Amino acid sequence: MSNTTELQELKSRQQKTWASGDYSKIAWLTVPIGDVLCEAVDLRAGAAVLDVATGTGHVALAAARRFCKVTGIDYVPALLDRAARRAEAEDLDVDFREADAENLPFADASFDYVLSSIGVMFTADHQRAANELVRVCRPGGRIGVASWTPAGFIGELLRAVSSHAPPPPAARPPTRWGEEGTMRELFGDSVSALTFVTAAATQRFPSPEHFADFFLAHYGPTLKAAERLDDAGRRAFRDDLVAIAAKSNRVTDGTLVSDWEYRIAVATRA
Protein backbone atom coordinates (compact mmCIF):
# COMPACT_ATOMS: atom_id res chain seq x y z
CA MET A 1 0.00 0.00 0.00
CA SER A 2 1.42 3.38 -0.94
CA ASN A 3 2.02 6.05 1.66
CA THR A 4 -0.49 8.28 -0.17
CA THR A 5 -3.18 5.62 0.06
CA GLU A 6 -2.41 5.01 3.74
CA LEU A 7 -2.75 8.71 4.48
CA GLN A 8 -6.02 8.93 2.55
CA GLU A 9 -7.42 6.01 4.53
CA LEU A 10 -6.16 7.55 7.75
CA LYS A 11 -7.84 10.86 6.90
CA SER A 12 -11.15 9.10 6.21
CA ARG A 13 -10.89 7.29 9.52
CA GLN A 14 -10.07 10.51 11.37
CA GLN A 15 -13.00 12.32 9.81
CA LYS A 16 -15.35 9.59 11.05
CA THR A 17 -13.74 9.80 14.49
CA TRP A 18 -14.35 13.55 14.81
CA ALA A 19 -17.90 13.16 13.53
CA SER A 20 -18.64 10.56 16.23
CA GLY A 21 -19.77 11.24 19.77
CA ASP A 22 -20.64 14.86 20.52
CA TYR A 23 -17.51 16.94 20.11
CA SER A 24 -19.47 20.11 20.82
CA LYS A 25 -19.49 19.03 24.48
CA ILE A 26 -15.74 18.38 24.48
CA ALA A 27 -15.21 21.70 22.71
CA TRP A 28 -16.45 23.54 25.80
CA LEU A 29 -13.13 22.67 27.39
CA THR A 30 -11.04 24.54 24.84
CA VAL A 31 -13.01 27.79 24.60
CA PRO A 32 -10.43 29.85 26.57
CA ILE A 33 -7.59 28.75 24.28
CA GLY A 34 -9.15 30.64 21.37
CA ASP A 35 -8.80 33.97 23.12
CA VAL A 36 -5.25 33.17 24.28
CA LEU A 37 -4.29 32.32 20.69
CA CYS A 38 -5.78 35.54 19.33
CA GLU A 39 -3.79 37.55 21.85
CA ALA A 40 -0.60 35.56 21.20
CA VAL A 41 -0.62 36.52 17.50
CA ASP A 42 -1.67 40.12 18.32
CA LEU A 43 -4.71 40.22 16.04
CA ARG A 44 -5.52 43.59 14.50
CA ALA A 45 -9.05 44.75 13.74
CA GLY A 46 -9.95 44.57 10.06
CA ALA A 47 -7.44 41.81 9.31
CA ALA A 48 -8.34 38.80 7.16
CA VAL A 49 -8.23 35.73 9.40
CA LEU A 50 -8.49 32.02 8.57
CA ASP A 51 -9.33 29.53 11.33
CA VAL A 52 -8.23 26.07 10.17
CA ALA A 53 -10.05 23.03 11.62
CA THR A 54 -12.39 25.46 13.35
CA GLY A 55 -14.57 22.78 14.94
CA THR A 56 -17.38 24.62 16.69
CA GLY A 57 -15.73 27.94 15.93
CA HIS A 58 -13.91 29.10 19.07
CA VAL A 59 -11.05 30.91 17.33
CA ALA A 60 -13.21 32.18 14.48
CA LEU A 61 -15.68 33.72 16.92
CA ALA A 62 -12.91 35.18 19.06
CA ALA A 63 -11.40 36.82 15.97
CA ALA A 64 -14.80 38.11 14.84
CA ARG A 65 -15.30 39.71 18.25
CA ARG A 66 -12.08 41.58 17.53
CA PHE A 67 -13.66 43.01 14.34
CA CYS A 68 -11.64 40.86 11.95
CA LYS A 69 -12.86 39.46 8.61
CA VAL A 70 -13.02 35.78 9.44
CA THR A 71 -13.27 32.51 7.56
CA GLY A 72 -13.44 29.17 9.37
CA ILE A 73 -12.99 25.77 7.73
CA ASP A 74 -13.53 22.19 8.90
CA TYR A 75 -14.23 18.84 7.27
CA VAL A 76 -17.01 17.83 9.67
CA PRO A 77 -20.31 19.45 8.56
CA ALA A 78 -22.05 18.93 11.90
CA LEU A 79 -19.38 20.95 13.69
CA LEU A 80 -19.66 23.75 11.13
CA ASP A 81 -23.43 23.84 11.66
CA ARG A 82 -22.86 24.33 15.39
CA ALA A 83 -20.26 27.03 14.73
CA ALA A 84 -22.66 28.88 12.41
CA ARG A 85 -25.42 28.77 15.02
CA ARG A 86 -23.06 30.20 17.62
CA ALA A 87 -22.07 33.03 15.28
CA GLU A 88 -25.73 33.76 14.54
CA ALA A 89 -26.56 33.84 18.25
CA GLU A 90 -23.91 36.53 18.77
CA ASP A 91 -24.71 38.32 15.51
CA LEU A 92 -21.13 37.79 14.32
CA ASP A 93 -20.23 37.67 10.63
CA VAL A 94 -18.10 34.57 9.97
CA ASP A 95 -17.79 32.66 6.70
CA PHE A 96 -17.82 28.98 7.68
CA ARG A 97 -16.94 26.53 4.90
CA GLU A 98 -16.48 22.78 4.59
CA ALA A 99 -12.88 22.21 3.52
CA ASP A 100 -9.81 20.06 4.13
CA ALA A 101 -6.91 21.51 6.15
CA GLU A 102 -4.50 19.65 3.86
CA ASN A 103 -5.97 21.20 0.71
CA LEU A 104 -7.20 24.67 1.55
CA PRO A 105 -9.46 26.17 -1.17
CA PHE A 106 -7.80 29.59 -1.11
CA ALA A 107 -5.23 31.36 -3.25
CA ASP A 108 -1.69 31.93 -2.04
CA ALA A 109 -1.26 34.79 0.44
CA SER A 110 -5.03 35.20 1.01
CA PHE A 111 -4.93 35.93 4.76
CA ASP A 112 -3.17 38.21 7.21
CA TYR A 113 -3.47 35.63 9.99
CA VAL A 114 -3.80 31.84 9.72
CA LEU A 115 -4.77 30.19 13.00
CA SER A 116 -5.67 26.80 14.42
CA SER A 117 -6.49 25.78 17.98
CA ILE A 118 -6.40 22.07 18.88
CA GLY A 119 -7.31 21.36 15.26
CA VAL A 120 -4.65 21.11 12.57
CA MET A 121 -2.59 18.92 14.92
CA PHE A 122 -5.06 16.10 14.18
CA THR A 123 -4.52 16.07 10.40
CA ALA A 124 -3.23 12.92 8.70
CA ASP A 125 -0.34 14.48 6.75
CA HIS A 126 1.36 16.89 9.13
CA GLN A 127 3.82 18.37 6.65
CA ARG A 128 1.19 18.96 4.00
CA ALA A 129 -1.06 20.68 6.54
CA ALA A 130 1.80 22.90 7.72
CA ASN A 131 2.65 23.79 4.13
CA GLU A 132 -0.96 24.86 3.56
CA LEU A 133 -0.96 27.11 6.63
CA VAL A 134 2.09 28.87 5.23
CA ARG A 135 0.86 29.01 1.63
CA VAL A 136 -2.35 30.90 2.34
CA CYS A 137 -0.69 33.40 4.70
CA ARG A 138 0.63 36.60 3.14
CA PRO A 139 4.35 37.44 3.50
CA GLY A 140 4.75 39.23 6.80
CA GLY A 141 1.50 37.75 8.09
CA ARG A 142 1.29 35.56 11.17
CA ILE A 143 0.57 31.90 11.69
CA GLY A 144 -0.58 30.78 15.13
CA VAL A 145 -1.14 27.17 16.19
CA ALA A 146 -2.22 25.95 19.63
CA SER A 147 -1.61 22.25 20.30
CA TRP A 148 -1.68 19.85 23.21
CA THR A 149 1.83 18.87 24.36
CA PRO A 150 3.18 15.30 24.54
CA ALA A 151 3.97 15.68 28.25
CA GLY A 152 0.62 17.20 29.16
CA PHE A 153 -2.68 15.63 30.17
CA ILE A 154 -4.05 15.07 26.68
CA GLY A 155 -0.70 13.72 25.53
CA GLU A 156 -0.95 11.06 28.21
CA LEU A 157 -4.60 10.39 27.37
CA LEU A 158 -3.81 9.89 23.67
CA ARG A 159 -0.98 7.49 24.55
CA ALA A 160 -3.51 5.47 26.54
CA VAL A 161 -5.84 5.44 23.53
CA SER A 162 -3.01 4.14 21.33
CA SER A 163 -2.01 1.45 23.84
CA HIS A 164 -5.53 0.02 24.00
CA ALA A 165 -6.46 0.55 20.33
CA PRO A 166 -3.29 0.95 18.22
CA PRO A 167 -3.59 3.49 15.39
CA PRO A 168 -2.89 2.69 11.72
CA PRO A 169 0.81 2.56 10.72
CA ALA A 170 0.59 5.89 8.86
CA ALA A 171 -0.58 7.79 11.95
CA ARG A 172 1.84 10.13 13.69
CA PRO A 173 1.24 11.47 17.21
CA PRO A 174 -0.82 14.67 16.95
CA THR A 175 0.97 16.08 19.99
CA ARG A 176 4.11 16.43 17.83
CA TRP A 177 2.62 19.84 17.03
CA GLY A 178 3.11 20.73 20.69
CA GLU A 179 6.89 20.26 20.43
CA GLU A 180 9.12 23.20 19.54
CA GLY A 181 11.48 21.05 17.47
CA THR A 182 8.65 19.62 15.39
CA MET A 183 7.26 23.06 14.63
CA ARG A 184 10.67 24.28 13.50
CA GLU A 185 10.89 21.22 11.26
CA LEU A 186 7.38 21.64 9.82
CA PHE A 187 7.72 25.35 9.01
CA GLY A 188 11.40 25.28 8.07
CA ASP A 189 12.70 28.38 6.30
CA SER A 190 9.22 29.41 5.15
CA VAL A 191 8.92 31.56 8.29
CA SER A 192 11.21 34.35 9.42
CA ALA A 193 10.40 34.08 13.13
CA LEU A 194 9.02 31.39 15.39
CA THR A 195 8.21 31.87 19.06
CA PHE A 196 6.41 29.75 21.63
CA VAL A 197 4.07 30.23 24.56
CA THR A 198 3.32 27.36 26.96
CA ALA A 199 0.15 27.55 29.01
CA ALA A 200 -2.49 25.36 30.60
CA ALA A 201 -6.27 25.17 30.43
CA THR A 202 -7.74 24.30 33.82
CA GLN A 203 -10.53 21.73 33.64
CA ARG A 204 -13.08 20.84 36.30
CA PHE A 205 -15.18 17.67 36.56
CA PRO A 206 -17.32 16.19 39.36
CA SER A 207 -14.80 13.34 39.75
CA PRO A 208 -12.09 11.42 37.84
CA GLU A 209 -14.70 8.76 37.11
CA HIS A 210 -17.05 11.36 35.65
CA PHE A 211 -14.25 12.60 33.42
CA ALA A 212 -13.62 9.08 32.09
CA ASP A 213 -17.29 8.42 31.38
CA PHE A 214 -17.77 11.86 29.82
CA PHE A 215 -14.87 11.34 27.42
CA LEU A 216 -15.88 7.78 26.58
CA ALA A 217 -19.34 9.06 25.66
CA HIS A 218 -18.45 12.24 23.76
CA TYR A 219 -14.78 12.43 22.67
CA GLY A 220 -14.25 10.80 19.28
CA PRO A 221 -10.80 9.22 19.90
CA THR A 222 -11.78 7.61 23.19
CA LEU A 223 -15.27 6.64 22.00
CA LYS A 224 -13.99 4.96 18.82
CA ALA A 225 -11.17 3.23 20.70
CA ALA A 226 -13.65 1.79 23.21
CA GLU A 227 -15.82 0.50 20.35
CA ARG A 228 -12.91 -1.66 19.20
CA LEU A 229 -12.58 -3.39 22.60
CA ASP A 230 -14.43 -6.22 24.29
CA ASP A 231 -16.04 -5.75 27.69
CA ALA A 232 -12.86 -6.52 29.62
CA GLY A 233 -10.86 -4.22 27.36
CA ARG A 234 -13.33 -1.37 27.84
CA ARG A 235 -13.16 -1.77 31.63
CA ALA A 236 -9.36 -1.68 31.53
CA PHE A 237 -9.42 1.35 29.25
CA ARG A 238 -11.82 3.20 31.54
CA ASP A 239 -9.66 2.32 34.55
CA ASP A 240 -6.64 3.85 32.81
CA LEU A 241 -8.56 7.05 32.01
CA VAL A 242 -9.67 7.33 35.64
CA ALA A 243 -6.08 6.81 36.79
CA ILE A 244 -4.73 9.47 34.42
CA ALA A 245 -7.29 11.96 35.71
CA ALA A 246 -6.67 11.08 39.36
CA LYS A 247 -2.90 11.47 38.93
CA SER A 248 -3.39 14.96 37.48
CA ASN A 249 -5.83 16.07 40.17
CA ARG A 250 -4.72 19.00 42.33
CA VAL A 251 -7.61 18.93 44.81
CA THR A 252 -8.61 16.38 47.43
CA ASP A 253 -12.34 17.03 47.88
CA GLY A 254 -13.47 14.25 45.52
CA THR A 255 -13.87 16.51 42.49
CA LEU A 256 -11.33 16.84 39.68
CA VAL A 257 -9.33 19.99 38.94
CA SER A 258 -6.68 19.39 36.31
CA ASP A 259 -4.36 21.63 34.30
CA TRP A 260 -4.05 20.57 30.64
CA GLU A 261 -0.85 21.87 29.07
CA TYR A 262 -0.76 23.25 25.55
CA ARG A 263 1.79 25.16 23.49
CA ILE A 264 1.20 28.01 21.06
CA ALA A 265 3.59 28.46 18.15
CA VAL A 266 3.57 31.89 16.51
CA ALA A 267 5.39 32.32 13.19
CA THR A 268 5.86 35.21 10.79
CA ARG A 269 5.53 34.25 7.13
CA ALA A 270 8.81 34.86 5.33
Side-chain angles (χ1 to χ4, degrees):
M1 183 184 297
S2 71
N3 187 57
T4 299
T5 301
E6 289 177 341
L7 288 171
Q8 289 173 340
E9 292 185 359
L10 175 61
K11 182 186 296 186
S12 176
R13 179 169 172 173
Q14 288 175 328
Q15 188 172 15
K16 292 175 182 177
T17 294
W18 294 113
S20 67
D22 187 353
Y23 185 73
S24 64
K25 294 184 181 297
I26 300 299
W28 300 340
L29 308 176
T30 61
V31 169
I33 301 175
D35 282 308
V36 176
L37 178 58
C38 287
E39 291 305 307
V41 299
D42 194 20
L43 278 187
R44 301 303 171 90
V49 177
L50 176 65
D51 179 18
V52 178
T54 188
T56 56
H58 300 336
V59 174
L61 298 180
R65 294 185 197 110
R66 290 164 170 80
F67 302 100
C68 294
K69 296 176 289 188
V70 186
T71 302
I73 70 98
D74 205 286
Y75 65 0
V76 180
L79 297 182
L80 290 171
D81 289 344
R82 183 66 63 93
R85 293 201 300 273
R86 293 180 65 203
E88 182 179 7
E90 293 193 44
D91 197 21
L92 294 171
D93 185 12
V94 180
D95 179 13
F96 288 111
R97 305 185 192 182
E98 184 177 349
D100 181 357
E102 297 175 23
N103 187 25
L104 295 172
F106 307 107
D108 296 356
S110 292
F111 298 93
D112 301 307
Y113 296 85
V114 179
L115 310 177
S116 185
S117 176
I118 318 299
V120 74
M121 65 181 289
F122 290 103
T123 52
D125 189 332
H126 293 186
Q127 188 61 63
R128 183 170 178 177
N131 292 347
E132 283 292 273
L133 297 180
V134 172
R135 181 184 65 78
V136 301
C137 186
R138 67 166 176 80
R142 289 185 180 169
I143 303 163
V145 181
S147 309
W148 301 121
T149 64
F153 182 93
I154 295 296
E156 188 169 2
L157 180 145
L158 293 176
R159 284 192 294 276
V161 170
S162 295
S163 69
H164 286 272
R172 305 193 73 180
T175 52
R176 293 178 67 239
W177 289 75
E179 298 176 312
E180 294 186 13
T182 296
M183 297 308 292
R184 291 191 178 95
E185 174 188 330
L186 289 174
F187 287 139
D189 60 6
S190 63
V191 300
S192 60
L194 182 57
T195 59
F196 299 91
V197 176
T198 303
T202 299
Q203 311 295 349
R204 301 171 187 271
F205 291 85
S207 68
E209 292 78 11
H210 180 276
F211 157 79
D213 292 335
F214 188 82
F215 262 58
L216 286 168
H218 302 301
Y219 187 52
T222 44
L223 184 154
K224 298 302 282 187
E227 287 179 351
R228 296 168 57 187
L229 304 173
D230 59 18
D231 288 345
R234 282 191 289 273
R235 287 193 296 271
F237 185 31
R238 180 183 183 274
D239 288 345
D240 279 355
L241 297 182
V242 172
I244 290 169
K247 184 175 71 172
S248 75
N249 200 359
R250 57 179 172 86
V251 299
T252 59
D253 62 359
T255 69
L256 172 63
V257 180
S258 179
D259 299 320
W260 296 6
E261 185 180 77
Y262 62 93
R263 183 165 288 121
I264 294 176
V266 178
T268 300
R269 174 73 163 94

